[in-house]
Coordinates of all heavy atoms in Angstrom, one line a residue:
V185 N -18.2 -28.4 -50.1 CA -18.1 -28.0 -51.5 C -19.2 -26.9 -51.7 O -18.9 -25.9 -52.4 CB -18.4 -29.1 -52.5 CG1 -18.4 -28.6 -54.0 CG2 -17.3 -30.2 -52.4
E186 N -20.3 -27.0 -51.1 CA -21.3 -25.9 -51.2 C -20.7 -24.6 -50.6 O -20.9 -23.6 -51.2 CB -22.6 -26.3 -50.3 CG -23.4 -27.4 -50.9 CD -24.5 -27.9 -50.0 OE1 -25.2 -27.0 -49.4 OE2 -24.7 -29.1 -49.8
L187 N -20.0 -24.7 -49.5 CA -19.4 -23.5 -48.9 C -18.5 -22.9 -49.9 O -18.5 -21.6 -50.1 CB -18.7 -23.9 -47.6 CG -17.8 -22.8 -47.0 CD1 -18.7 -21.6 -46.5 CD2 -17.0 -23.3 -45.9
M188 N -17.6 -23.7 -50.6 CA -16.6 -23.1 -51.5 C -17.2 -22.5 -52.8 O -16.6 -21.7 -53.4 CB -15.6 -24.2 -51.9 CG -14.7 -24.7 -50.7 SD -13.4 -23.4 -50.4 CE -14.0 -22.8 -48.8
T189 N -18.4 -23.0 -53.1 CA -19.0 -22.6 -54.4 C -20.2 -21.8 -54.4 O -20.7 -21.3 -55.4 CB -19.2 -23.8 -55.3 OG1 -20.1 -24.7 -54.6 CG2 -17.9 -24.6 -55.6
T190 N -20.8 -21.5 -53.2 CA -22.1 -20.8 -53.1 C -22.0 -19.3 -53.4 O -20.9 -18.7 -53.2 CB -22.7 -21.0 -51.7 OG1 -24.0 -20.3 -51.8 CG2 -21.9 -20.3 -50.6
F191 N -23.1 -18.7 -53.9 CA -23.1 -17.3 -54.1 C -24.1 -16.6 -53.2 O -24.4 -15.4 -53.3 CB -23.6 -17.0 -55.6 CG -22.6 -17.3 -56.6 CD1 -22.7 -18.5 -57.4 CD2 -21.4 -16.5 -56.8 CE1 -21.7 -18.8 -58.3 CE2 -20.4 -16.9 -57.7 CZ -20.6 -18.1 -58.5
D192 N -24.5 -17.4 -52.2 CA -25.5 -16.8 -51.2 C -24.7 -16.5 -49.9 O -24.3 -17.4 -49.2 CB -26.6 -17.9 -51.0 CG -27.6 -17.5 -49.9 OD1 -27.3 -16.7 -49.0 OD2 -28.7 -18.1 -49.9
D193 N -24.7 -15.2 -49.6 CA -23.8 -14.8 -48.5 C -24.3 -15.3 -47.2 O -23.5 -15.8 -46.4 CB -23.8 -13.2 -48.5 CG -22.7 -12.7 -47.5 OD1 -21.5 -13.0 -47.8 OD2 -23.0 -12.1 -46.5
A194 N -25.6 -15.3 -46.9 CA -26.1 -15.7 -45.6 C -25.8 -17.2 -45.4 O -25.4 -17.7 -44.4 CB -27.6 -15.4 -45.5
Y195 N -26.0 -18.0 -46.5 CA -25.8 -19.4 -46.5 C -24.3 -19.7 -46.3 O -23.9 -20.6 -45.5 CB -26.3 -20.0 -47.8 CG -26.3 -21.5 -47.9 CD1 -26.7 -22.3 -46.8 CD2 -25.8 -22.2 -49.0 CE1 -26.7 -23.7 -46.8 CE2 -25.8 -23.6 -49.0 CZ -26.2 -24.3 -48.0 OH -26.2 -25.7 -48.0
A196 N -23.4 -18.9 -46.9 CA -22.0 -19.1 -46.8 C -21.6 -18.9 -45.3 O -20.8 -19.6 -44.7 CB -21.2 -18.1 -47.7
R197 N -22.2 -17.8 -44.7 CA -21.8 -17.5 -43.3 C -22.2 -18.7 -42.4 O -21.5 -19.2 -41.5 CB -22.5 -16.3 -42.8 CG -22.2 -15.9 -41.3 CD -22.9 -14.7 -40.8 NE -22.6 -13.5 -41.5 CZ -23.5 -12.8 -42.2 NH1 -24.8 -13.1 -42.1 NH2 -23.2 -11.7 -42.8
E198 N -23.4 -19.2 -42.6 CA -24.0 -20.3 -41.8 C -23.1 -21.6 -42.0 O -22.8 -22.3 -41.0 CB -25.4 -20.6 -42.3 CG -26.2 -21.7 -41.6 CD -27.5 -22.0 -42.4 OE1 -28.1 -21.1 -42.9 OE2 -27.8 -23.2 -42.5
L199 N -22.7 -21.9 -43.2 CA -21.9 -23.1 -43.5 C -20.5 -22.9 -42.8 O -19.9 -23.9 -42.3 CB -21.7 -23.3 -45.0 CG -22.9 -24.0 -45.7 CD1 -22.7 -24.0 -47.2 CD2 -23.1 -25.4 -45.2
A200 N -19.9 -21.7 -42.9 CA -18.6 -21.5 -42.3 C -18.7 -21.7 -40.8 O -17.8 -22.3 -40.2 CB -18.1 -20.1 -42.6
Q201 N -19.7 -21.2 -40.2 CA -20.0 -21.4 -38.7 C -20.0 -22.9 -38.4 O -19.4 -23.4 -37.5 CB -21.3 -20.9 -38.3 CG -21.4 -19.4 -37.8 CD -20.3 -18.9 -37.0 OE1 -19.8 -17.8 -37.4 NE2 -19.9 -19.5 -35.9
K202 N -20.7 -23.6 -39.3 CA -20.9 -25.1 -39.1 C -19.6 -25.8 -39.2 O -19.3 -26.6 -38.4 CB -21.9 -25.6 -40.2 CG -22.1 -27.1 -40.1 CD -23.1 -27.6 -41.1 CE -23.1 -29.1 -41.1 NZ -24.1 -29.7 -42.1
L203 N -18.7 -25.4 -40.2 CA -17.4 -26.1 -40.3 C -16.5 -25.8 -39.1 O -15.8 -26.6 -38.7 CB -16.7 -25.6 -41.6 CG -16.7 -26.6 -42.7 CD1 -18.1 -26.9 -43.2 CD2 -15.8 -26.2 -43.9
D204 N -16.7 -24.5 -38.6 CA -15.9 -24.2 -37.4 C -16.3 -25.0 -36.2 O -15.4 -25.5 -35.4 CB -16.0 -22.7 -37.2 CG -15.0 -22.2 -36.2 OD1 -13.8 -22.5 -36.3 OD2 -15.3 -21.4 -35.2
E205 N -17.6 -25.1 -36.0 CA -18.1 -25.9 -34.9 C -17.7 -27.4 -35.0 O -17.2 -28.0 -34.0 CB -19.6 -25.9 -34.8 CG -20.2 -24.6 -34.3 CD -21.6 -24.3 -34.6 OE1 -22.4 -25.3 -34.9 OE2 -22.0 -23.1 -34.6
I206 N -17.7 -27.9 -36.2 CA -17.3 -29.3 -36.5 C -15.8 -29.4 -36.1 O -15.4 -30.4 -35.5 CB -17.6 -29.8 -37.9 CG1 -19.1 -29.9 -38.1 CG2 -16.9 -31.1 -38.2 CD1 -19.5 -30.2 -39.6
N207 N -15.0 -28.4 -36.5 CA -13.6 -28.5 -36.2 C -13.3 -28.5 -34.7 O -12.4 -29.2 -34.2 CB -12.9 -27.3 -36.9 CG -11.4 -27.5 -36.8 OD1 -10.8 -28.6 -37.1 ND2 -10.7 -26.5 -36.4
N208 N -14.1 -27.7 -34.0 CA -13.9 -27.6 -32.5 C -14.3 -29.0 -31.9 O -13.7 -29.5 -31.0 CB -14.8 -26.5 -31.9 CG -14.2 -25.2 -32.2 OD1 -13.0 -25.0 -32.4 ND2 -15.0 -24.1 -32.2
E209 N -15.4 -29.6 -32.4 CA -15.8 -30.9 -32.0 C -14.7 -31.9 -32.3 O -14.3 -32.7 -31.4 CB -17.1 -31.3 -32.8 CG -17.8 -32.5 -32.2 CD -19.0 -32.8 -33.2 OE1 -19.6 -31.9 -33.8 OE2 -19.3 -34.0 -33.2
R210 N -14.1 -31.8 -33.5 CA -13.0 -32.7 -33.9 C -11.8 -32.6 -32.9 O -11.3 -33.6 -32.4 CB -12.6 -32.3 -35.3 CG -11.6 -33.2 -35.9 CD -10.1 -32.8 -35.9 NE -9.8 -31.4 -36.1 CZ -8.7 -30.9 -35.7 NH1 -7.8 -31.6 -35.0 NH2 -8.4 -29.6 -35.8
K211 N -11.5 -31.3 -32.5 CA -10.4 -31.1 -31.6 C -10.7 -31.8 -30.2 O -9.8 -32.4 -29.6 CB -10.2 -29.6 -31.3 CG -9.4 -28.9 -32.4 CD -9.1 -27.5 -31.9 CE -8.9 -26.5 -33.1 NZ -9.0 -25.1 -32.7
A212 N -11.9 -31.6 -29.8 CA -12.3 -32.2 -28.5 C -12.2 -33.7 -28.5 O -11.7 -34.4 -27.6 CB -13.7 -31.8 -28.1
I213 N -12.7 -34.3 -29.6 CA -12.6 -35.8 -29.8 C -11.2 -36.2 -29.8 O -10.8 -37.2 -29.1 CB -13.4 -36.2 -31.1 CG1 -14.9 -36.0 -30.9 CG2 -13.1 -37.7 -31.3 CD1 -15.7 -36.2 -32.2
V214 N -10.3 -35.5 -30.6 CA -8.9 -35.9 -30.7 C -8.3 -35.8 -29.3 O -7.5 -36.7 -28.9 CB -8.2 -34.9 -31.6 CG1 -6.6 -35.1 -31.5 CG2 -8.6 -35.2 -33.1
Q215 N -8.6 -34.8 -28.5 CA -8.0 -34.6 -27.2 C -8.3 -35.8 -26.3 O -7.5 -36.4 -25.6 CB -8.4 -33.3 -26.6 CG -7.5 -32.8 -25.5 CD -7.9 -31.4 -25.0 OE1 -8.8 -30.8 -25.5 NE2 -7.2 -31.0 -24.0
T216 N -9.6 -36.2 -26.3 CA -10.1 -37.3 -25.5 C -9.4 -38.6 -25.8 O -8.9 -39.3 -25.0 CB -11.6 -37.5 -25.6 OG1 -12.3 -36.2 -25.4 CG2 -12.2 -38.5 -24.7
I217 N -9.4 -38.9 -27.1 CA -8.8 -40.2 -27.6 C -7.3 -40.2 -27.3 O -6.8 -41.2 -26.9 CB -9.1 -40.4 -29.1 CG1 -10.7 -40.5 -29.3 CG2 -8.5 -41.7 -29.5 CD1 -11.1 -40.7 -30.7
T218 N -6.7 -39.0 -27.5 CA -5.2 -39.0 -27.3 C -4.9 -39.3 -25.8 O -4.0 -40.0 -25.5 CB -4.6 -37.6 -27.7 OG1 -4.9 -37.3 -29.0 CG2 -3.1 -37.5 -27.5
Q219 N -5.7 -38.8 -24.9 CA -5.6 -39.0 -23.5 C -5.8 -40.5 -23.2 O -5.0 -41.1 -22.5 CB -6.6 -38.2 -22.7 CG -6.3 -38.1 -21.2 CD -4.9 -37.9 -20.9 OE1 -4.3 -36.8 -21.2 NE2 -4.2 -38.8 -20.2
E220 N -6.9 -41.1 -23.8 CA -7.2 -42.5 -23.5 C -6.0 -43.4 -24.1 O -5.6 -44.4 -23.5 CB -8.5 -42.9 -24.2 CG -9.7 -42.3 -23.4 CD -11.0 -42.6 -24.1 OE1 -11.1 -43.4 -25.0 OE2 -12.1 -42.0 -23.7
A221 N -5.5 -43.0 -25.3 CA -4.4 -43.8 -25.9 C -3.2 -43.7 -25.0 O -2.5 -44.7 -24.8 CB -4.1 -43.2 -27.3
A222 N -2.9 -42.5 -24.4 CA -1.7 -42.3 -23.6 C -1.8 -43.2 -22.4 O -0.7 -43.7 -21.9 CB -1.6 -40.8 -23.1
D223 N -3.0 -43.5 -21.9 CA -3.1 -44.4 -20.7 C -2.8 -45.8 -21.0 O -2.7 -46.7 -20.2 CB -4.5 -44.2 -20.1 CG -4.7 -42.8 -19.5 OD1 -3.7 -42.1 -19.3 OD2 -5.9 -42.4 -19.4

């Protein structure tokens, strides 16, 4: 919500990076669990 509503450009960039990293982490976790579930 801070990302969507902030007026601070540097902070917005930093939060967007953070969300992107979290999404990559999420993808990796999903891939691992999907593989374990398939077994």
Side-chain angles (χ1 to χ4, degrees):
V185 177
E186 289 173 45
L187 171 67
M188 288 288 111
T189 57
T190 184
F191 290 104
D192 177 336
D193 193 61
Y195 187 44
R197 182 184 300 119
E198 183 192 319
L199 282 172
Q201 271 322 128
K202 179 179 169 179
L203 254 67
D204 192 45
E205 282 160 23
I206 290 173
N207 189 48
N208 287 333
E209 191 185 330
R210 187 260 324 155
K211 281 188 203 163
I213 293 171
V214 166
Q215 202 175 354
T216 307
I217 299 179
T218 302
Q219 191 48 59
E220 289 177 10
D223 295 340

